[in-house]
Amino acid sequence: TIVRLLEEEQNRSSLLKGKKVLITAGPTQEKIDPVRYFTNPSTGKMGFALARQASLMGAEVTLVAGPVTLDTPPRVKRIDVTTAEEMYEAVTTEFSHHDIVIKSAAVADYRPKNKYEHKMKKSTGDYAVEMERTKDILMTLGERKTKQYLIGFAAETNDVEYYGEQKLRKKNLDAIVMNNVSAEGTGFAHDTNSSIYLTKEGKRLVLPLMSKDQLAQRILTEAAETVSGEAT
Amino acid sequence: TIVRLLEEEQNRSSLLKGKKVLITAGPTQEKIDPVRYFTNPSTGKMGFALARQASLMGAEVTLVAGPVTLDTPPRVKRIDVTTAEEMYEAVTTEFSHHDIVIKSAAVADYRPKNKYEHKMKKSTGDYAVEMERTKDILMTLGERKTKQYLIGFAAETNDVEYYGEQKLRKKNLDAIVMNNVSAEGTGFAHDTNSSIYLTKEGKRLVLPLMSKDQLAQRILTEAAETVSGEAT
């Protein structure tokens, strides 16, 4: 059985050999002025785990990262961005020459309509920040995809499977990883995640609480086997 | 001269002996919903440098910190907060029994009026985030102060000295540290700062680019000498 374990390890380490994997990670920041912005609690841990594991599995990995404080995994090509617009530009430029694309970044849906060059002075009373939609990156990728195996994430606080499956269909994904970010030990900033993995063919895997690196291995193994046309 | 340097080091290390120093650091986060918030680029480095140096100079230090990823300096009592409201509560509770109070935190001036318990679903088209003012912590401290030596920070992108001196007067501070956060190597996330230190008596020190720890030493030395009634 030691031989079998070693063989499995060997097989796993070449499962993505020759494949190009594009991963997005982290939050975006949308400025109101030089010292104020909207963002979200993403730390990039899930995306960086995916990049690290994909590289260990033999893939050529491109990682488009929002502002995070994590080290780049070995042999990974990293592109740093700050805003949703920069993320859109980087990802759509890279998309066409990749085989597997996993969007784990938490990109802002909205950004302030007006961005002030100088710090706004506060005044008494309330005010309203006018917000406009950012470009929907995952929707764009779903529309443009040819050979790419496209995986999205759904971070929800309620009706997780309902919203997750809707997103899978609407954005023409191949698979989606659904997280209830209000559950214990799951989602933003944690080192662990519990999730449900759903493919467009209806394969549904319940993935209990595990490290983000273990979850990354599971997701990448599923994707690799599907892409290679192997039985799963 | 080595003896003199050692003596100076010795003197500096006891300059705040018996003094209680309260320092605030970092940003605040103001939620719209569980996965979206409004914040600023403060990393807490300046405030943590002040806490570290004050402790080295013999003070009993309380550090009220917003969400940052820095280690607590040795012998410093740390209180973690997330929102401007929590920062206000912690600081006003601690204020009365401290001798020197330095507000280096970048507290949100505004917060979303409505906070949603569940993740908002995006819809087509624009929307506006209604914002309301948070409590002005520094103004409150300026009104309440008795014996406390109160130092504020002004982070500006233009007309730095004009806005800085206005803030010093309006908030009844004893001194203010003014930074032009759009200057090279200065302000948010940098390890260095260049600033102008201005006291209510009109003493004005131009402090060129130096490490945040060096700047912290300068600020604390000025404050300590003034509080002790020594000639400066």
Side-chain angles (χ1 to χ4, degrees), chain A residues 152-168:
Chain A
F153 274 73
E156 301 291 345
T157 54
N158 55 302
D159 304 312
V160 180
E161 290 211 51
Y162 171 77
Y163 286 128
E165 182 162 2
Q166 256 198 349
K167 188 170 181 176
L168 173 81

Side-chain angles (χ1 to χ4, degrees), chain A residues 30 108-112 131-134, chain B residues 122-123 125-127:
Chain A
E30 310 298 332
D109 302 325
Y110 292 92
R111 69 173 165 222
M131 304 286 276
E132 63 186 3
R133 285 290 299 275
T134 57
Chain B
K122 61 191 168 197
S123 53
D126 304 345
Y127 87 112

Side-chain angles (χ1 to χ4, degrees), chain B residues 42-76:
Chain B
S42 172
T43 55
K45 283 180 184 171
M46 190 64 233
F48 277 62
L50 283 162
R52 181 164 47 247
Q53 294 301 327
S55 176
L56 287 172
M57 288 163 78
E60 199 178 304
V61 182
T62 305
L63 174 63
V64 181
V68 298
T69 54
L70 299 172
D71 294 329
T72 311
R75 295 178 307 283
V76 166

Side-chain angles (χ1 to χ4, degrees), chain B residues 65-135:
Chain B
V68 298
T69 54
L70 299 172
D71 294 329
T72 311
R75 295 178 307 283
V76 166
K77 176 187 159 197
R78 175 171 174 175
I79 302 170
D80 283 322
V81 299
T82 302
T83 65
E85 183 65 26
E86 289 165 8
M87 179 74 80
Y88 178 92
E89 290 302 325
V91 173
T92 51
T93 301
E94 292 291 331
F95 185 62
S96 64
H97 55 279
H98 282 84
D99 305 298
I100 297 173
V101 178
I102 310 180
K103 191 211 156 268
S104 75
V107 178
D109 303 325
Y110 292 92
R111 69 175 165 220
K113 224 176 201 172
N114 303 302
K115 192 179 129 187
Y116 299 93
E117 200 189 329
H118 291 301
K119 181 180 175 183
M120 278 190 313
K121 301 312 290 182
K122 61 191 168 197
S123 53
T124 51
D126 304 345
Y127 87 112
V129 182
E130 299 288 331
M131 304 286 273
E132 63 186 5
R133 284 291 299 275
T134 56
K135 290 176 190 154

Side-chain angles (χ1 to χ4, degrees), chain A residues 31-32 34-42 69 109-110 113 117-133 136 154-158 163 167 171 181 188, chain B residues 32 34-42 69 109-110 112-113 117-133 136 154-158 163 167 171 181 188:
Chain A
K31 281 189 179 172
I32 298 179
V35 297
R36 296 176 173 94
Y37 58 84
F38 285 96
T39 190
N40 64 66
S42 172
T69 54
D109 302 325
Y110 292 92
K113 226 175 198 171
E117 201 189 329
H118 291 302
K119 182 180 174 183
M120 280 188 312
K121 301 314 290 182
K122 60 191 169 197
S123 52
T124 51
D126 304 347
Y127 86 112
V129 183
E130 298 289 330
M131 304 286 276
E132 63 186 3
R133 285 290 299 275
D136 190 326
E156 301 291 345
T157 54
N158 55 302
Y163 286 128
K167 188 170 181 176
K171 306 207 173 174
V181 289
F188 297 122
Chain B
I32 299 178
V35 297
R36 295 175 174 94
Y37 60 83
F38 176 63
T39 189
N40 65 67
S42 172
T69 54
D109 303 325
Y110 292 92
K113 224 176 201 172
E117 200 189 329
H118 291 301
K119 181 180 175 183
M120 278 190 313
K121 301 312 290 182
K122 61 191 168 197
S123 53
T124 51
D126 304 345
Y127 87 112
V129 182
E130 299 288 331
M131 304 286 273
E132 63 186 5
R133 284 291 299 275
D136 191 325
E156 300 291 345
T157 55
N158 55 301
Y163 287 128
K167 188 170 181 177
K171 306 207 173 173
V181 290
F188 297 122

Side-chain angles (χ1 to χ4, degrees), chain B residues 138 145 150-152 167-168 171-176 200:
Chain B
L138 201 50
K145 87 183 154 90
L150 182 60
I151 305 177
K167 188 170 181 177
L168 172 80
K171 306 207 173 173
N172 191 28
L173 310 181
D174 295 290
I176 192 159
K200 69 171 177 216

